[in-house]
């Protein structure tokens, strides 16, 4: 009998499975479940984007592309960041097309982080950062953000966490799971500290186009002195409802992108060809699609925030992404208990806040990228659930 434990990489074995997928799996095995758990837009990929991919498939243009991605796509990505965020990148040396934004995050961390490096990770945040840091030999140090601050990173919290071994700050705004954002006026203090301590920033901007209000998203890379020390991660999944197309990109200093591309070359080869053709059209012709989806999300956002506050689950108003982070401490249940009891008794799936870091305990993540009808029914069921557990 083979003892496989003798062969497995210990750093991988120690990684806990995603807390998001646990409740998604439970929901799949039950009938009549309304899931507000997974960040999967309910919009179809716009037809003009799909039709381009179909056309190129029909022509048989399905061969490998450059490891970095097709040059016309990289050029279009650069034009997008120039016109949207006023940052100029070199398409030939400062862009890498990846298999989703997640691969870009993985490539960036594995390229830069070695044994003993400290990486500051804003929390609550998406589940992948800490495991990638730790399997790369680094130390993931949480930077706690708070509801009272609208889950923004404060300069004080950042300054206090820096050590002589700090190499990177993982900076995920707009934020998953909280919906928190950082405005331009709030970014400068963070940028000043990063420059002062010579820290690289991994700016995960996958929800950049889903920012609500009068002020658009601002990339920290656009601030003076930050482009040369920032790796920007973005993609097409959330902005254009292209989750299954698996296409993202990284923007950053040429020496770093060069090494990321080398790792990508050996691990992946290249991103899907037809998805790259489609992405060119998305960037050129997709602004109206973005605006329509954002407008719909905004209506759902405002409805859901009001309803959660009405039923006694305090929720600050998220200004980005398509998540909210209601506080469930008033119920006396842990986040895990709340979610388990809710799905079993009311067939509504949400995600425990503790899945996004210890500081997420006492909260749940609710996604509003589902139809308004499903959101209404789900929150009505949550209201019933709260009344029943308080009786």
């Amino acid at each position: 009998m083979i003892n496989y434990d003798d062969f497995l990489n210990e750093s991988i074995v120690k990684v806990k499975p995603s807390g998001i997928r646990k409740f998604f799996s439970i929901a799949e095995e039950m009938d009549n479940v309304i899931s507000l758990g997974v960040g999967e837009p309910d919009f179809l990929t716009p037809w003009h984007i799909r039709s381009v991919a179909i056309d190129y498939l029909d022509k048989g243009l399905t061969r490998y592309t450059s490891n970095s991605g097709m040059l016309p796509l990289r050029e279009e990505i650069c034009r997008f960041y120039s016109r949207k965020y006023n940052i100029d990148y070199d398409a030939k040396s400062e862009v890498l097309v990846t298999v989703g934004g997640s691969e870009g995050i993985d490539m960036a961390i594995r390229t830069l982080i070695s044994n003993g490096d400290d990486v500051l990770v804003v929390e609550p945040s998406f589940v992948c950062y800490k495991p990638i840091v730790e399997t790369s030999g680094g130390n993931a140090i949480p930077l706690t953000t708070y509801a009272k601050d609208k889950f923004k990173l404060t300069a004080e919290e950042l300054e206090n966490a820096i050590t002589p071994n700090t190499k990177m700050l993982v900076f995920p705004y707009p934020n998953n799971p909280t919906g928190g954002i950082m405005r331009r006026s709030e970014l400068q203090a963070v940028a000043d500290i990063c420059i002062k301590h010579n820290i690289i920033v991994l700016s995960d901007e996958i929800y950049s186009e889903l920012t609500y209000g009068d002020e658009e998203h601002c990339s920290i890379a656009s601030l003076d002195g930050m482009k040369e020390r920032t790796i920007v991660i973005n993609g097409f999944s959330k902005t254009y409802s292209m989750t299954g197309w698996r296409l993202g990109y990284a923007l950053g200093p040429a020496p770093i992108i060069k090494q990321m591309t080398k790792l990508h070359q050996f691990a992946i080869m290249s991103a899907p060809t037809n998805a790259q053709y489609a992405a060119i059209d998305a960037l050129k012709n997709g602004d109206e699609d973005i605006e329509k989806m954002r407008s719909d999300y905004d209506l759902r956002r405002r409805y859901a925030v009001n309803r959660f506050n009405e039923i006694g689950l305090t929720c600050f108003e998220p200004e980005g992404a398509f998540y909210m982070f209601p506080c469930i401490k008033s119920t006396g249940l842990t986040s895990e208990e709340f979610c388990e009891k809710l799905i079993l008794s009311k067939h509504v799936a949400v995600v425990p806040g503790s899945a996004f870091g210890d500081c997420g305990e006492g909260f749940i993540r609710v996604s509003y990228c589902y139809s308004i009808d499903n959101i209404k029914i789900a929150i009505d069921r949550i209201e019933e659930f709260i009344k029943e557990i308080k009786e």
Side-chain angles (χ1 to χ4, degrees), residues 144-159:
T144 302
T145 60
Y146 302 92
K148 65 181 178 63
D149 300 319
K150 297 185 176 181
F151 295 102
K152 300 174 187 286
L153 176 63
T154 66
E156 180 182 12
E157 190 76 24
L158 174 58
E159 184 74 59

Side-chain angles (χ1 to χ4, degrees), residues 60-256:
L61 297 175
T62 57
R63 296 182 179 276
Y64 293 131
T65 72
S66 161
N67 294 139
S68 299
M70 298 188 323
L71 183 58
L73 173 56
R74 285 181 278 145
E75 290 173 338
E76 205 58 51
I77 289 168
C78 291
R79 280 191 282 270
F80 181 82
Y81 256 75
S82 179
R83 68 183 173 89
K84 285 281 187 174
Y85 308 121
N86 198 31
I87 316 173
D88 293 324
Y89 288 99
D90 181 1
K92 293 183 178 179
S93 64
E94 296 180 320
V95 188
L96 171 63
V97 178
T98 59
V99 181
S102 297
E103 193 220 338
I105 294 166
D106 183 40
M107 296 293 108
I109 293 173
R110 287 205 283 153
T111 294
L112 290 166
I113 301 308
S114 306
N115 290 338
D117 290 334
D118 288 344
V119 179
L120 304 179
V121 181
V122 172
E123 290 188 351
S125 63
F126 187 51
V127 296
C128 78
Y129 309 123
K130 183 177 178 181
I132 297 172
V133 169
E134 292 177 342
T135 54
S136 299
N139 307 308
I141 299 173
L143 281 177
T144 302
T145 60
Y146 302 92
K148 65 181 178 63
D149 300 319
K150 297 185 176 181
F151 295 102
K152 300 174 187 286
L153 176 63
T154 66
E156 180 182 12
E157 190 76 24
L158 174 58
E159 184 74 59
N160 291 340
I162 292 172
T163 74
N165 295 324
T166 300
K167 182 182 280 188
M168 176 185 285
L169 166 66
V170 176
F171 193 68
Y173 287 98
N175 183 267
N176 171 12
T178 67
I181 63 169
M182 297 282 287
R183 298 294 189 188
R184 175 178 287 275
S185 59
E186 298 159 337
L187 291 172
Q188 191 62 58
V190 172
D192 290 343
I193 293 170
C194 291
I195 293 170
K196 172 185 173 183
H197 293 280
N198 195 29
I199 295 171
I200 290 286
V201 175
L202 178 60
S203 184
D204 185 351
E205 302 180 14
I206 195 72
Y207 296 99
S208 61
E209 292 303 291
L210 299 179
T211 299
Y212 310 102
D214 296 332
E215 190 175 338
E216 294 184 347
H217 170 75
C218 175
S219 173
I220 195 170
S222 69
L223 303 186
D224 288 346
M226 289 305 295
K227 181 190 170 188
E228 56 262 42
R229 65 175 61 255
T230 302
I231 304 164
V232 173
I233 303 296
N234 211 323
F236 300 86
S237 294
K238 316 299 182 178
T239 301
Y240 301 100
S241 195
M242 294 175 67
T243 52
W245 298 71
R246 306 315 304 132
L247 200 68
Y249 53 90
L251 300 163
I256 295 176

Side-chain angles (χ1 to χ4, degrees), residues 290-348:
I290 294 171
E291 188 54 44
K292 181 184 182 303
M293 287 187 274
R294 182 169 53 219
S295 178
D296 274 14
Y297 287 139
D298 193 20
L299 290 173
R300 303 173 197 182
R301 175 183 72 98
R302 286 182 280 132
Y303 171 81
V305 167
N306 289 336
R307 284 288 287 125
F308 274 115
N309 283 312
E310 285 174 359
I311 67 176
L313 298 186
T314 305
C315 184
F316 94 104
E317 183 176 344
E319 296 179 88
F322 41 52
Y323 307 103
M324 54 191 55
F325 213 53
C327 179
I328 53 92
K329 294 176 183 178
S330 61
T331 67
L333 300 175
T334 67
S335 297
E336 191 89 9
E337 290 169 342
F338 184 98
C339 294
E340 286 186 358
K341 291 178 182 291
L342 177 65
I343 193 170
L344 294 175
S345 65
K346 297 299 178 182
H347 289 205
V348 174

Side-chain angles (χ1 to χ4, degrees), residues 19 28 44 54 75 98 131 156 161 170 208 242 264 271 275 288 313 318 324 354 368 373 377:
E28 281 188 321
L44 292 175
I54 292 169
E75 290 173 338
T98 59
E156 180 182 12
V170 176
S208 61
M242 294 175 67
H264 167 83
E288 289 185 8
L313 298 186
M324 54 191 55
S354 54
Y368 53 89
D373 290 339
I377 296 169

